[in-house]
Amino acid sequence: MAAEQFQALHAYLNSQVIGQPEFTEGLLIAILADGHLLVEGPPGLAKTRAVNALATGIEGSFHRVQFTPDLLPADLTGTDIYRAETGSFEFQQGPLFHNIILADEINRAPAKVQSALLEAMAERQITVGQTTYKLPPLFMVLATQNPLEQEGTYPLPEAQLDRFLMQLNLDYPNAAVERDILRLTRGEELEGQASMPSPVTQADIFAARREVLEIYMDDSVEEYLVQLIIATRTPDFYSADLARWLSYGASPRATIALDRCARARAWLNQRDFVTPDDIHYVFAHVLRHRIILSYQAEADGIDADTVLSKIIELVPAP
């Protein structure tokens, strides 16, 4: 039953966000793998629209926060409010107590705000004063950042980047998709457009997550997954080019994320086992924000996706 609901939700997302199938699938993989998602792309590519569509398709509360340089930690976590009638302080919850948080232009907030968000993402709790508050069991941060304009931005620290399950990079659509977008915004019906399904309940989401963890992964496929991660840490074993391009590899958290995302992708495709293709599909999304390239790679015009494609090419698949 949960699989059918997610299939219907996927079809609805694709009808609302035209021409971004990897993005919509990535949203569902993040939900199923219980992780946070970082989305990078130019303005106007329906990042906010997609998150709004996802929020309407699942049972839970949604809140959008526009990150700005003057944002304070209390604007996210909440704060203690003095009640004169009782002479006591009462905690007023902030946006982080919702189920889905859209952190728009996350890299525009200063370090103190990022620190508060990091605690929420990592520990599923926030601390105000001397008191710690637990966040809802269903809690997901969907963060966006614009790669074009860097003025007034604060680069996200590696520790926070590592907390994101995946980073999805969006690009402009082609001409045919652009025409469909025009028709959609004019309110015209598109061929095969899906109607909004019944919201997926939180109980169904947790049940689906348990099913994802039970997806079968053969020992040879699991060994292949681990070797892909190890290749980011020992690039000189595979290629002199890789050794020149990579400064730091991925952490064990990347191994866990890759495992969960590959299982979630197999589940979404209605299979009860993981294939190397599932790993390949999510590999760049899971790793591109976790590896650190050398100055030599930047000088050579090499980006993270090129390095990760090279690793896929060099590490033998089962």
Side-chain angles (χ1 to χ4, degrees):
M1 181 65 179
E4 294 174 2
Q5 289 180 305
F6 272 87
Q7 292 295 330
L9 178 56
H10 194 192
Y12 172 67
L13 291 176
N14 281 332
S15 71
Q16 295 300 304
V17 185
I18 309 297
Q20 300 284 6
E22 283 197 40
F23 180 26
T24 56
E25 188 168 7
L27 288 171
L28 296 183
I29 288 174
I31 286 281
L32 290 168
D34 190 15
H36 310 292
L37 192 62
L38 178 62
V39 183
E40 185 173 291
L45 292 185
K47 297 186 290 293
T48 304
R49 180 186 177 89
V51 178
N52 278 319
L54 176 67
T56 59
I58 67 173
E59 178 190 76
S61 56
F62 166 71
H63 195 92
R64 176 183 178 274
V65 181
Q66 180 65 50
F67 277 49
T68 57
D70 61 348
L71 199 70
L72 298 174
D75 295 328
L76 294 182
T77 61
T79 189
D80 289 321
I81 304 295
Y82 181 70
R83 302 294 185 188
E85 60 272 19
T86 61
S88 62
F89 285 91
E90 179 183 319
F91 179 65
Q92 184 74 39
Q93 294 184 347
L96 289 182
F97 285 87
H98 290 79
N99 299 115
I100 298 180
I101 312 298
L102 173 59
D104 221 351
E105 296 193 278
I106 187 174
N107 54 335
R108 293 197 177 277
K112 282 188 176 181
V113 176
Q114 301 295 354
S115 177
L117 184 61
L118 177 59
E119 181 189 11
M121 292 171 61
E123 309 298 335
R124 306 298 174 101
Q125 65 181 31
I126 58 101
T127 302
V128 177
Q130 302 298 316
T131 308
T132 296
Y133 301 91
K134 290 291 183 183
L135 295 176
L138 178 61
F139 175 71
M140 180 181 181
V141 174
L142 297 166
T144 70
Q145 60 181 12
N146 173 9
L148 301 180
E149 186 183 1
Q150 299 304 317
E151 184 178 352
T153 63
Y154 302 82
L156 299 183
E158 282 74 15
Q160 185 169 5
L161 285 173
D162 202 29
R163 298 293 179 177
F164 283 103
L165 182 79
M166 295 188 292
Q167 177 182 327
L168 302 180
N169 290 349
L170 306 186
D171 204 353
Y172 291 116
N174 59 35
V177 171
E178 197 93 11
R179 293 187 65 186
D180 285 340
I181 292 171
L182 281 176
R183 296 187 182 105
L184 183 66
T185 57
R186 290 198 297 259
E188 299 178 17
E189 285 289 328
L190 300 180
E191 185 178 350
Q193 186 170 358
S195 58
M196 189 177 78
S198 300
V200 181
T201 67
Q202 293 191 26
D204 287 332
I205 291 173
F206 296 136
R209 286 176 177 176
R210 289 191 294 270
E211 290 180 15
V212 165
L213 292 177
E214 293 170 0
I215 293 290
Y216 175 73
M217 181 181 291
D218 189 77
D219 288 346
S220 63
V221 177
E222 185 177 85
E223 177 63 21
Y224 175 60
L225 183 151
V226 171
Q227 288 305 319
L228 286 172
I229 301 295
I230 296 298
T232 68
R233 303 175 198 163
T234 58
D236 52 320
F237 180 79
Y238 291 94
S239 163
D241 284 338
L242 279 182
R244 193 169 68 253
W245 295 337
L246 270 169
S247 289
Y248 293 97
S251 73
R253 193 176 286 117
T255 312
I256 298 169
L258 187 58
D259 174 78
R260 288 200 168 195
C261 289
R263 292 174 189 270
R265 205 254 174 173
W267 187 89
L268 276 177
N269 283 269
Q270 299 179 305
R271 278 183 283 103
D272 60 359
F273 60 93
V274 177
T275 69
D277 284 341
D278 293 319
I279 296 173
H280 294 166
Y281 184 85
V282 298
F283 185 63
H285 301 327
V286 172
L287 271 291
R288 63 166 58 100
H289 58 295
R290 288 185 161 100
I291 60 173
I292 300 178
L293 303 185
S294 66
Y295 292 115
Q296 184 63 52
E298 295 180 13
D300 292 345
I302 301 297
D303 61 11
D305 284 14
T306 302
V307 172
L308 296 171
S309 295
K310 188 73 172 176
I311 289 174
I312 290 287
E313 178 187 321
L314 293 175
V315 178

